[in-house]
Amino acid sequence: MRKKQSTATYYKNPALQESIIRYYKEKQLNFVVKHSNYNTQIIGTESTLKFIQTEHPIRVFIAYNKIVKDLKESPKTVEILQGEWSTNNFDSRNGLKPAFYKKILNLDISSAYPYCLWINKLITQDTFNYLMNMPKTERLPAIGMIAKKSVWITYTGGKAEEWELKEGFYTNIFFYVIQQITDLMSWAAEIAGDSFLFYWVDGIFLKPTISKKKLDEITGIFAEQGYYFKYEKVENCNIVRDGDKLLINMIKNGEEKPYQMYDRNLARNFTKVLQALENA
Amino acid sequence: MAKKKTQQYQDRKYNYPKGFTKYGKSKTGFMPAAQGAKVFVTNNFDQIKKGTIPFDSLTQREKRVYRGKNNPTFENLYRYGDKSYYDPTRSLRKILDNDPNLKGKRDLTNFLKPEDFKNLFDQKLNPTKYADGTNSTLFDFKKGDKKGFYRDESGTLLDIVTKLNKIKRSGRNIRVIDTKGVTHKGVKAIDVMRKFESDKLMEAMNAAKEGDRIQLQIVYLSTDYNPFTNTVTYNLNNVQVNDLNNTP
């Protein structure tokens, strides 16, 4: 009969983790280190030490299991799993200049990921309702767990002998959701034209001078696609450029929010010019 | 007899474009004429070019702005940071104008990475950027015709041997390091330089057909002046030879 291992749980502490691994290595033990976004586990023959970053309540795992159950039954899952989806979920206006805006307009899609799963018939109404009754801080990890990824390093006699990357079976579904929202944002950006500043995940930031007609068109598309949206109050938006990096600071709903992103347009412009020169 | 009155020049009155704000306040009244003419010509540049807005209907100030914007030097002059760059191939303008987001853009500071921009200009568009009358020769003639040199926009003859003779006459010492690393001085140095150039030119002429245009540029990348010894040094081991007919 397999001996039951004892498990001890601690909050993430890289220094402690490192010293334990070093100790196991010196003692030439057999053990496995598992790293993931949420925790690091040192699995020995006698015991398992778990270092967690955040402790999630049980309902987060229940929600995740409900999503997985629905994905197994959804007729669209197989098709989406076979596709290739981009995970780039931010972009800025081509040629965005460093500037300071006293006020800017922010349109945020409400609960973008649960809605996207539901609109695309990947989860049932029951799971959707369950997700929507959870606070945002729990809803995001529950959905994010679809894309769980972990690295397993196996130590034999204190030496790292092999490693393996394990990905969740439904990771591609999460990437699909990201791309759906990004496509919606880039569609809105195209309509906004010169009034577009940047978008980040499910929120688009626009100049306050945007015409009402364009704004109506954007909100019309959000509504037509089945999403709800809200206007957020954004003040003192400062955009600074450092080469191909954009550093953006703002006060959103009274809280300071920093953003840092690569300006992907720079590489795109350069490639375009080079290609045109080669074809000339 | 009454003195003939000269006709007073009149500017148009320019309203601020809709949504034009400065320091967070909406502008009222009219724009200053100089700013208005620039905005008017910029916004209607394509229509003026096509003739939809007749050139004759423009005010003198607008005509002046339009001429400036419509001349090739202006069109092909780009800014990056606080520096200006000229694209002699004029190809970048066509490429940028094909993209609606980049159409008419001349300040590329926020459109390309600094290193990409440098690479683009120095390697692809203007490899001869550093060439001038003090460090380069540019042969420009048709095979079969008498050998000729190019004069740049300022009228400077791009012929380094002539330039070296002038430099020598002005009292400076000349030093040329040849391809074997041997240093030559004075008249001998100029002879070595002439021989080097005529060899390069011969190669280009042999490769060309009768009647072909030969545009051969030789840029001496390593040139140096030592004010203490009043000596100018050219190194024939660090030379860029450009066949401008084949430069993009």
Side-chain angles (χ1 to χ4, degrees):
Chain A
M1 202 179 131
R2 200 177 154 192
K3 198 178 160 189
K4 202 181 173 190
Q5 279 193 339
S6 64
T7 305
T9 307
Y10 308 94
Y11 275 104
K12 207 157 197 168
N13 182 343
L16 179 61
Q17 288 162 219
E18 213 170 290
S19 62
I20 291 169
I21 293 170
R22 204 182 310 128
Y23 176 76
Y24 277 22
K25 277 160 82 175
E26 278 166 15
K27 294 282 169 198
Q28 300 183 347
L29 299 177
N30 296 336
F31 63 102
V32 175
V33 178
K34 179 201 158 197
H35 288 290
S36 74
N37 273 348
Y38 296 107
N39 64 46
T40 298
Q41 288 184 42
I42 304 171
I43 308 161
T45 43
E46 301 288 319
S47 63
T48 296
L49 303 172
K50 202 182 218 181
F51 296 88
I52 55 167
Q53 195 152 1
T54 342
E55 205 171 2
H56 295 302
I58 191 77
R59 55 179 175 268
V60 173
F61 298 95
I62 295 173
Y64 165 68
N65 285 332
K66 276 171 132 347
I67 296 170
V68 171
K69 184 175 168 279
D70 289 351
L71 289 175
K72 276 180 191 165
E73 287 163 13
S74 169
K76 280 189 81 178
T77 304
V78 177
E79 189 193 329
I80 295 170
L81 283 178
Q82 284 166 351
E84 269 190 38
W85 316 105
S86 162
T87 52
N88 287 321
N89 53 4
F90 60 88
D91 206 355
S92 58
R93 181 154 59 93
N94 198 358
L96 183 64
K97 284 182 189 168
F100 177 81
Y101 297 92
K102 187 79 189 141
K103 269 183 190 170
I104 60 169
L105 208 59
N106 171 212
L107 260 177
D108 249 12
I109 296 184
S110 312
S111 310
Y113 289 177
Y115 268 100
C116 183
L117 287 166
W118 185 50
I119 289 164
N120 286 286
K121 296 190 173 66
L122 289 162
I123 55 171
T124 57
Q125 175 86 51
D126 175 50
T127 309
F128 175 72
N129 290 342
Y130 192 88
L131 282 169
M132 294 305 282
N133 283 329
M134 290 165 81
K136 191 180 178 179
T137 47
E138 293 175 9
R139 202 188 301 144
L140 285 176
I143 299 171
M145 277 180 195
I146 311 174
K148 62 182 176 187
K149 197 191 264 184
S150 55
V151 179
W152 296 63
I153 307 166
T154 310
Y155 290 80
T156 314
K159 279 186 182 172
E161 296 240 307
E162 55 182 274
W163 68 275
E164 196 186 349
L165 178 71
K166 290 186 183 175
E167 282 186 346
F169 185 75
Y170 295 107
T171 301
N172 228 10
I173 301 283
F174 187 66
F175 296 163
Y176 170 79
V177 171
I178 291 175
Q179 186 163 339
Q180 290 296 299
I181 302 298
T182 307
D183 285 351
L184 199 61
M185 288 291 133
S186 57
W187 191 357
E190 209 172 293
I191 294 166
D194 284 347
S195 301
F196 167 61
L197 292 171
F198 71 99
Y199 66 76
W200 182 271
V201 191
D202 54 1
I204 185 165
F205 297 82
L206 306 161
K207 285 185 192 171
T209 48
I210 187 170
S211 68
K212 196 175 174 305
K213 194 182 156 209
K214 280 183 179 175
L215 207 53
D216 287 346
E217 207 178 327
I218 293 170
T219 52
I221 282 166
F222 287 171
E224 187 191 294
Q225 297 294 314
Y227 293 96
Y228 289 92
F229 57 87
K230 56 184 178 288
Y231 289 96
E232 301 275 13
K233 191 182 174 192
V234 178
E235 292 168 313
N236 298 347
C237 175
N238 193 24
I239 302 172
V240 178
R241 182 181 285 279
D242 176 13
D244 60 346
K245 224 185 284 168
L246 287 167
L247 310 163
I248 303 165
N249 259 298
M250 62 177 74
I251 310 277
K252 191 176 168 182
N253 294 330
E255 270 181 48
E256 196 171 324
K257 275 202 109 177
Y259 295 84
Q260 186 174 324
M261 64 173 89
Y262 280 100
D263 188 344
R264 293 161 56 207
N265 296 293
L266 304 189
R268 282 195 287 243
N269 290 336
F270 187 56
T271 313
K272 216 180 274 178
V273 171
L274 284 190
Q275 275 172 356
L277 276 173
E278 273 168 28
N279 297 334
Chain B
M1 200 179 140
K3 205 177 168 186
K4 199 180 171 186
K5 229 181 173 182
T6 48
Q7 203 189 343
Q8 283 287 304
Y9 169 70
Q10 275 204 326
D11 273 313
R12 211 189 288 269
K13 281 193 169 164
Y14 302 95
N15 287 310
Y16 280 101
K18 207 178 170 189
F20 186 97
T21 57
K22 205 175 180 189
Y23 311 120
K25 281 184 181 171
S26 283
K27 280 281 194 179
T28 51
F30 297 108
M31 256 192 277
Q35 188 190 3
K38 273 185 199 163
V39 172
F40 176 81
V41 174
T42 310
N43 291 345
N44 298 296
F45 187 78
D46 286 343
Q47 282 104 309
I48 302 168
K49 203 166 187 177
K50 274 186 220 157
T52 320
I53 297 176
F55 180 74
D56 289 341
S57 71
L58 304 181
T59 65
Q60 279 185 36
R61 198 190 290 269
E62 288 162 357
K63 280 179 185 166
R64 206 162 58 226
V65 174
Y66 175 74
R67 281 197 199 101
K69 282 188 185 292
N70 198 32
N71 89 36
T73 310
F74 178 86
E75 266 193 342
N76 294 293
L77 195 64
Y78 296 91
R79 279 195 81 75
Y80 198 92
D82 53 357
K83 289 198 176 112
S84 294
Y85 298 81
Y86 182 66
D87 169 20
T89 67
R90 300 180 186 182
S91 48
L92 187 59
R93 182 74 278 140
K94 284 178 202 153
I95 295 167
L96 296 181
D97 285 354
N98 273 337
D99 185 332
N101 289 321
L102 302 170
K103 192 168 187 274
K105 291 272 184 289
R106 293 194 311 111
D107 186 346
L108 302 179
T109 314
N110 298 308
F111 289 91
L112 293 167
K113 278 189 226 177
E115 59 270 26
D116 286 348
F117 181 82
K118 199 172 176 324
N119 176 3
L120 182 69
F121 259 80
D122 295 355
Q123 307 293 327
K124 302 278 178 190
L125 298 173
N126 202 352
T128 62
K129 188 163 79 87
Y130 302 106
D132 60 32
T134 65
N135 70 351
S136 72
T137 290
L138 175 49
F139 296 100
D140 186 12
F141 62 100
K142 277 184 184 165
K143 188 173 175 180
D145 293 355
K146 192 175 168 246
K147 182 178 78 176
F149 294 99
Y150 181 82
R151 276 183 195 277
D152 70 7
E153 282 171 12
S154 67
T156 308
L157 187 72
L158 297 183
D159 171 12
I160 201 73
V161 174
T162 307
K163 182 83 185 171
L164 282 185
N165 277 318
K166 274 189 191 168
I167 291 172
K168 192 172 170 295
R169 277 202 296 276
S170 73
R172 283 189 183 170
N173 302 313
I174 313 284
R175 262 178 15 128
V176 168
I177 301 164
D178 72 12
T179 48
K180 288 173 188 158
V182 182
T183 306
H184 304 274
K185 288 177 185 168
V187 180
K188 180 79 172 59
I190 297 175
D191 282 345
V192 168
M193 186 82 111
R194 184 181 286 124
K195 168 97 176 49
F196 175 80
E197 290 203 341
S198 58
D199 287 350
K200 293 284 172 204
L201 182 63
M202 192 57 79
E203 281 173 30
M205 283 176 66
N206 290 341
K209 290 179 198 150
E210 201 63 26
D212 276 359
R213 188 173 178 194
I214 292 167
Q215 279 195 303
L216 183 77
Q217 182 176 48
I218 303 169
V219 188
Y220 299 90
L221 297 168
S222 175
T223 57
D224 177 52
Y225 171 62
N226 183 340
F228 300 105
T229 56
N230 197 22
T231 306
V232 191
T233 306
Y234 290 83
N235 188 344
L236 305 188
N237 298 294
N238 192 7
V239 173
Q240 186 182 313
V241 181
N242 302 309
D243 175 2
L244 295 188
N245 285 333
N246 292 324
T247 306

